[in-house]
Amino acid sequence: MDKYKLIAENITVSYNNIISVKNITMKFKANTVTSLIGPSGCGKTSFLRCLNRMHDMNKNVKVMGKVVIDNTDLYLDNMNPIYHRRKVGMVFQKPNPFPTMSIYDNVTAGLRLNGIKNKKILDGSVENSLKLAYLWDEVKSDLKKPAIELSGGQQQRLCIARALAINPEILLMDEPSSALDPISTQKIEETIMNLKNELTIIIVTHNMQQAIRISDYTAFMYLGKLIEFGETKKLFTAPTDPLTAKYVKGFFG
Amino acid sequence: MFMELKPPHNLFVDKIFKIIIITSAFYILILIVYLIIKLFLESGPIWQEIGFSFIINSDWNTIEGRESFGALPYILGTIVTSIIAMIIAVPLSIGIAMFASYMPKESHIILNFIIDLLASIPSIIYGLWGLIVFRPIFVKWFEIPINSTLGEHMWLFSGIPLGLDIITASIVLAIMIIPTIASVSREIMKSVPLQQQEAAFMLGATKWEIFKFAIFPYAKAGLVGASILGLGRAVGETMAITMLIGNATGVFALPKSLFQAGQTMSSILANEFIEASPLSLHISALIGIGLILLLFAICINIIAHVLVVRMLKVREGLINI
Ligand SMILES: Nc1ncnc2c1ncn2[C@@H]1O[C@H](COP(=O)(O)OP(=O)(O)OP(=O)(O)O)[C@@H](O)[C@H]1O
Ligand SMILES: [Mg+2]
């Protein structure tokens, strides 16, 4: 069934007129996990941020191309990106909880932005999201604690919970486990596999073992270009491009 | 290979630097303490004659032989004008700062230039502007209509709408402190990390919601600090107030209505200090008011300082609001 949840077409990103992502086209099937791999600075983050128009924050960035979610182009002029952004959750490379807000308020921030005030719903969402992010057991007794008092890894799991709380249909994760210890990493990987039943996940990772473990598809980027994109197993065992072959064997990067 | 490290001669420079800093800090502290003691001694007669009820008395009679002095009307005058000015200036300044942090670069520069320019205009110019330009317009379009409709029923709007009164002085005061508060607030909002704004943005926040979720909570204490910095300016402001407040004395200066003449601690000093004969009880009363004003200013600055330091610690993640 070739039902695509998300289609990125001819995406080009430039910072101050310097091109970082060159004409990338990728299609993502619903309920799959796709890993983006490639050496540092190859444009993974830049590409990922196009998928929910995160670049709108920065006036020096120019994005060209189309991003189609459920048959709507995110970059159409008359499009209100906010509605679509609420369907796309994102976890950033560096944990960025709201430091002055409590754990509870961090998780419910997205729901409150959507006008949900019912305490039962919020409570339920906090427990559910924190459990999915494997943080619940560590913080359930102290949900009023400010987020800044959590460790770096806990903060990152809080950010994952915050992104999940709005029930996104697509989840973008930028190296979510770079701040986590092996045990939390393993738990987050389990979460990702479980979440696949409900949403479409795109994850940037430097850890090739992780890509192999969790993703159905893998894309290899190099110097802003998409070099190879296909089923994870195939990309790692029988890559078609010599650059990919070199990279997955660990020769550079 | 073994590498020889430089001898730590920098330590010596460090030490000298430290001594200089400590000395200058002490110098300022000593200066302030000296000023307080000096003002207290010079105003000695008033504390001896009237005692601390000087602070709660309202009379003001400078005629020799029938002298009586009370600072209350001027203390209240300073508090009331400052509060009104803050009520007007703080929301406007934060609005300007929000606007400034969202504008494209070029117009940003122009706006910042205007803000900084406004901050550097001498206060007597604001006073003249208030007197010549603002006052006639304000009296005609605001004071007279309000006074004639509400004046009889509400004490707040009673009195004679001449434009030389508490509200005119407070509004001009507000205009004077807006640049200060706006420019500091702008810097504080700019210092909120981009990642914070991205977090709100990712959750689907609108521009306003980004302020509400990411910028305000983070910058809260700093914005309070910025406002209190403006308050410090408002409390000390002299020339413009003296020109616009109508300069009542004694019980007539007790603030009751917006449309009445008043007096602040700094304006009474500006008005009467030169006329007062040396060694009179009058002059020691004025110096006493100066002392109270200084203590006011010190308290405000300490509060502002504590809040800003707290804010910095919050940013470093040491404490939370
Ligand atoms: N805000 C920015 N302003 C200017 N240039 C940028 C900005 N962000 C990224 N770049 C440039 O774009 C290119 C791609 O960066 P990007 O962050 O997308 O790489 P990445 O693949 O995510 O790297 P990493 O694995 O280290 O996170 C880099 O050359 C970088 O210098
Ligand atoms: Mg990156």
Side-chain angles (χ1 to χ4, degrees):
Chain A
M1 286 266 289
D2 277 13
K3 173 100 183 67
Y4 292 113
K5 180 73 189 169
L6 173 67
I7 301 171
E9 256 179 58
N10 304 102
I11 294 290
T12 296
V13 183
S14 50
Y15 296 95
N16 302 314
N17 298 321
I18 300 167
I19 292 181
S20 301
V21 171
K22 287 175 204 148
N23 202 21
I24 290 188
T25 298
M26 281 174 90
K27 296 179 179 181
F28 303 93
K29 285 184 190 154
N31 305 100
T32 58
V33 178
T34 305
S35 292
L36 296 179
I37 61 169
S40 184
C42 69
K44 304 179 294 294
T45 301
S46 306
F47 174 70
L48 197 70
R49 289 166 65 93
C50 295
L51 304 180
N52 63 345
R53 285 188 67 164
M54 207 64 205
H55 285 306
D56 290 8
M57 292 279 301
N58 187 339
K59 295 193 176 71
N60 300 322
V61 187
K62 234 179 87 191
V63 177
M64 286 179 293
K66 266 164 103 176
V67 173
V68 181
I69 298 177
D70 294 338
N71 301 319
T72 325
D73 181 3
L74 261 189
Y75 283 88
L76 281 183
D77 286 342
N78 61 354
M79 170 62 223
N80 177 4
I82 287 169
Y83 170 72
H84 270 271
R85 203 175 289 120
R86 289 179 182 182
K87 285 203 212 167
V88 184
M90 185 160 190
V91 178
F92 297 83
Q93 204 161 349
K94 272 189 231 147
N96 60 348
F98 300 120
T100 59
M101 282 187 199
S102 66
I103 294 170
Y104 185 96
D105 288 347
N106 261 282
V107 179
T108 57
L111 289 178
R112 287 184 287 132
L113 274 171
N114 284 292
I116 294 170
K117 296 200 181 84
N118 184 320
K119 192 160 178 324
K120 264 209 188 110
I121 296 179
L122 295 181
D123 286 350
S125 161
V126 168
E127 178 167 350
N128 191 30
S129 314
L130 286 172
K131 276 182 175 162
L132 283 174
Y134 286 98
L135 187 59
W136 176 251
D137 289 332
E138 286 157 67
V139 299
K140 64 183 172 200
S141 57
D142 205 2
L143 293 171
K144 287 277 160 283
K145 192 158 92 169
I148 192 89
E149 288 175 17
L150 295 174
S151 76
Q154 288 174 324
Q155 287 184 19
Q156 185 63 305
R157 281 178 281 156
L158 178 61
C159 293
I160 294 173
R162 181 177 65 187
L164 291 175
I166 47 174
N167 288 322
E169 295 168 17
I170 298 167
L171 185 61
L172 310 175
M173 304 175 103
D174 196 349
E175 292 181 49
S177 56
S178 57
L180 301 183
D181 62 289
I183 293 171
S184 330
T185 302
Q186 193 197 337
K187 288 180 168 170
I188 291 302
E189 287 181 8
E190 278 167 30
T191 302
I192 292 171
M193 316 269 261
N194 291 336
L195 285 172
K196 202 168 79 169
N197 300 323
E198 285 141 55
L199 40 90
T200 308
I201 298 171
I202 302 164
I203 178 170
V204 172
T205 177
H206 274 296
N207 182 336
M208 284 190 250
Q209 295 308 316
Q210 184 171 59
I212 294 170
R213 282 194 299 267
I214 61 173
S215 55
D216 306 301
Y217 297 92
T218 299
F220 170 61
M221 288 175 68
Y222 186 62
L223 296 178
K225 283 191 255 181
L226 179 65
I227 305 293
E228 189 163 349
F229 175 36
E231 282 178 24
T232 300
K233 215 185 220 159
K234 172 148 190 314
L235 190 130
F236 280 98
T237 53
T240 46
D241 194 286
L243 270 173
T244 318
K246 248 172 133 185
Y247 186 74
V248 298
K249 280 187 196 136
F251 284 143
F252 69 95
Chain B
M1 213 179 78
F2 181 71
M3 220 169 51
E4 203 174 327
L5 293 170
K6 271 190 190 171
H9 62 261
N10 283 349
L11 282 182
F12 182 67
V13 182
D14 261 16
K15 244 181 204 158
I16 292 190
F17 191 62
K18 209 170 170 182
I19 290 170
I20 292 174
I21 288 179
I22 291 174
T23 326
S24 32
F26 255 104
Y27 177 70
I28 292 166
L29 195 68
I30 288 168
L31 208 66
I32 288 174
V33 171
Y34 172 76
L35 202 57
I36 292 173
I37 293 171
K38 187 77 183 158
L39 285 176
F40 187 71
L41 293 178
E42 292 282 324
S43 60
I46 201 77
W47 306 115
Q48 278 158 23
E49 294 271 323
I50 304 181
F52 283 94
S53 56
F54 174 58
I55 294 170
I56 50 166
N57 279 357
S58 300
D59 316 323
W60 193 263
N61 197 336
T62 58
I63 297 162
E64 268 192 59
R66 276 187 270 166
E67 289 153 316
S68 80
F69 296 100
L72 185 66
Y74 321 121
I75 296 174
L76 290 179
T78 295
I79 293 174
V80 168
T81 49
S82 303
I83 288 177
I84 298 173
M86 293 291 282
I87 291 172
I88 300 169
V90 170
L92 275 174
S93 308
I94 291 180
I96 291 171
M98 281 168 67
F99 189 63
S101 58
Y102 251 115
M103 287 210 319
K105 253 197 185 129
E106 302 75 38
S107 37
H108 194 127
I109 292 168
I110 298 170
L111 186 73
N112 290 347
F113 175 74
I114 294 173
I115 293 174
D116 295 340
L117 187 78
L118 287 175
S120 66
I121 292 176
S123 70
I124 192 151
I125 305 292
Y126 278 103
L128 281 174
W129 174 84
L131 207 59
I132 298 167
V133 181
F134 178 70
R135 179 182 157 221
I137 299 170
F138 187 67
V139 169
K140 186 171 172 209
W141 295 104
F142 187 82
E143 291 204 359
I144 291 178
I146 288 192
N147 178 258
S148 58
T149 49
L150 298 172
E152 279 181 35
H153 314 292
M154 293 172 74
W155 54 267
L156 196 60
F157 303 112
S158 59
I160 306 158
L162 277 180
L164 290 175
D165 48 34
I166 291 177
I167 186 71
T168 320
S170 304
I171 290 174
V172 174
L173 191 57
I175 294 170
M176 294 177 66
I177 62 176
I178 282 173
T180 310
I181 305 178
S183 61
V184 179
S185 304
R186 177 192 67 208
E187 293 309 312
I188 284 166
M189 286 190 198
K190 265 205 295 200
S191 73
V192 175
L194 192 64
Q195 286 93 332
Q196 285 298 308
Q197 303 175 40
E198 285 180 347
F201 198 66
M202 175 275 286
L203 293 169
T206 59
K207 281 186 177 182
W208 162 244
E209 288 165 338
I210 290 177
F211 273 105
K212 202 171 121 193
F213 273 78
I215 299 182
F216 283 144
Y218 202 89
K220 201 163 52 184
L223 295 179
V224 175
S227 305
I228 293 186
L229 220 62
L231 177 64
R233 236 200 119 179
V235 165
E237 176 44 44
T238 312
M239 273 329 293
I241 295 258
T242 310
M243 290 165 84
L244 286 164
I245 201 165
N247 302 311
T249 53
V251 285
F252 302 109
L254 277 172
K256 291 191 198 80
S257 147
L258 293 177
F259 298 158
Q260 72 165 81
Q263 188 83 271
T264 65
M265 288 189 269
S266 46
S267 69
I268 188 117
L269 287 175
N271 274 316
E272 300 198 355
F273 203 79
I274 304 173
E275 300 160 18
S277 43
L279 299 177
S280 63
L281 194 60
H282 185 191
I283 201 123
S284 92
L286 290 174
I287 294 172
I289 290 175
L291 176 65
I292 298 168
L293 182 59
L294 178 65
L295 295 177
F296 251 72
I298 290 173
C299 287
I300 288 168
N301 275 297
I302 289 174
I303 293 169
H305 183 79
V306 168
L307 285 172
V308 172
V309 169
R310 249 176 82 86
M311 150 106 182
L312 293 176
K313 283 190 184 156
V314 168
R315 190 173 305 159
E316 287 157 16
L318 296 176
I319 57 166
N320 45 81
I321 305 166

